[in-house]
Amino acid sequence: AMRAALVGYSSSEEEEEEEGGRQQGGGARASPRASPRARWVTARPRLPVPECVLDMFREQEEEERGAEDSSKHGGRVRSFPHERGNWATYVYMPYKVQEEFLELLDLLVSHARTYVSSLTAMEEFHISLSQSVVLRYHWINPFVQSLKERLASFDRFFCVANQMKVYTNQNKTRTFIGLEVSAGHFQLLELVSEVDKVMEEFDLPTFYKDPSFHISLAWCVGDLTGSLEGQCLQELQDIVDRFEDSALILRVQWEQIRCKSGNKFFSFPLR
């Protein structure tokens, strides 16, 4: 089975959120004379930071001090060198967690740990619509504007994510267990097709061919597919199939697409 690269989250940084994609009328634009930070900082709850973004860039200040010690980053290895003015950028659909989902997650991770004790549960959940790419700072606004225009006509839709699957990242340094989408794949492909067109405009890598859309649940360092596939995976699937609320929590209505670039978030509501 083809294994798509995938990403996790950490919520360790304070974020700014830019509601960059309000389709219907948006809010009033702030005066262009205001400093960019003053325009956008709001007292919002912290938002998840995609793990792939953290893989490539720790916070700007740390990077600019030249910190290259992977021991500080949970053994993660940056996919490419940091250069000042480069912003790791990533498009995804956030999954709103319900209490029952966390119960299922707990059952799955506890069981999977009997096979791989180092598994760590995700703290935030999403479906990826792009690889993590590098944008120059001055490209961020045109990139977001282009995304906004291409995604403006999409309606909300449902997905079912109920098939347990094992994944690794591209360089096989991390392994993940996730729930693969079994219904809604076509709409996700249509969204990726539009995101890919934006990537091509900016000469950036498009998404994987024949992607396996999924919600990552837990991860560990190293390639441990051998331990997690087969019997373990079948037992995890049995837990999902038997879980009382799984039909309810694994049928998801997607309401927005999000883009994270550096420390900025942009949100594109679906109609």
Side-chain angles (χ1 to χ4, degrees):
M2 166 255 165
R3 295 189 190 108
L6 64 118
V7 286
Y9 283 104
S10 155
S11 47
S12 61
E13 299 174 26
E14 291 206 11
E15 309 302 343
E16 304 167 31
E17 177 168 6
E18 298 196 14
E19 295 295 320
R22 289 284 174 223
Q23 252 60 304
Q24 279 85 24
R29 306 286 294 172
S31 151
R33 287 188 301 277
S35 80
R37 194 165 178 84
R39 280 170 60 195
W40 295 115
V41 173
T42 51
R44 291 173 184 271
R46 290 181 179 192
L47 284 164
V49 183
E51 186 68 49
C52 63
V53 172
L54 296 177
D55 278 354
M56 294 188 285
F57 297 103
R58 306 316 296 167
E59 292 188 68
Q60 282 318 81
E61 296 85 0
E62 181 184 280
E63 297 294 2
E64 283 162 12
R65 289 198 301 270
E68 291 292 339
D69 182 358
S70 74
S71 67
K72 292 178 186 167
H73 314 318
R76 294 189 295 263
V77 179
R78 187 177 300 121
S79 307
F80 45 76
H82 169 75
E83 278 180 46
R84 194 177 187 128
N86 279 350
W87 289 53
T89 302
Y90 175 68
V91 183
Y92 62 101
M93 302 178 81
Y95 171 65
K96 261 194 230 158
V97 173
Q98 302 169 53
E99 207 175 319
E100 294 85 354
F101 176 81
L102 294 175
E103 285 172 27
L104 175 59
L105 177 73
D106 191 46
L107 287 171
L108 292 168
V109 175
S110 317
H111 188 76
R113 279 192 187 131
T114 64
Y115 289 85
V116 172
S117 59
S118 59
L119 271 177
T120 304
M122 296 291 183
E123 291 175 15
E124 310 289 345
F125 306 89
H126 69 281
I127 286 184
S128 304
L129 297 177
S130 81
Q131 298 194 55
S132 196
V133 298
V134 182
L135 271 185
R136 302 295 293 168
Y137 180 78
H138 58 277
W139 290 352
I140 295 172
N141 284 341
F143 179 88
V144 167
Q145 190 56 39
S146 185
L147 267 181
K148 179 180 175 178
E149 287 162 12
R150 290 197 177 275
L151 299 173
S153 59
F154 276 90
D155 293 317
R156 295 179 180 196
F157 65 97
F158 283 97
C159 264
V160 178
N162 59 5
Q163 300 299 306
M164 288 299 308
K165 198 161 173 181
V166 178
Y167 298 87
T168 60
N169 63 353
Q170 275 179 305
N171 51 9
K172 301 264 197 285
T173 56
R174 307 175 78 189
T175 307
F176 301 78
I177 54 172
L179 282 163
E180 186 179 36
V181 167
S182 61
H185 186 84
F186 177 72
Q187 288 95 325
L188 289 166
L189 281 177
E190 287 196 313
L191 283 174
V192 164
S193 165
E194 293 304 315
V195 174
D196 277 351
K197 287 172 192 164
V198 178
M199 295 297 179
E200 284 166 351
E201 260 178 71
F202 289 83
D203 207 18
L204 294 165
T206 53
F207 204 44
Y208 311 103
K209 291 269 175 279
D210 307 317
S212 165
F213 295 107
H214 57 272
I215 299 169
S216 300
L217 301 178
W219 66 277
C220 59
V221 170
D223 182 356
L224 285 142
T225 47
S227 308
L228 291 166
E229 283 184 338
Q231 186 181 346
C232 175
L233 195 60
Q234 184 55 57
E235 290 165 1
L236 294 176
Q237 188 64 52
D238 291 344
I239 291 171
V240 171
D241 295 344
R242 287 199 311 266
F243 189 70
E244 191 182 354
D245 296 312
S246 68
L248 174 76
I249 56 176
L250 301 181
R251 182 174 184 264
V252 186
Q253 185 177 35
W254 301 103
E255 297 177 357
Q256 62 165 307
I257 295 163
R258 214 173 251 171
C259 172
K260 182 182 189 302
S261 189
N263 62 350
K264 300 179 193 299
F265 282 91
F266 302 86
S267 184
F268 310 92
L270 296 170
R271 297 196 303 183

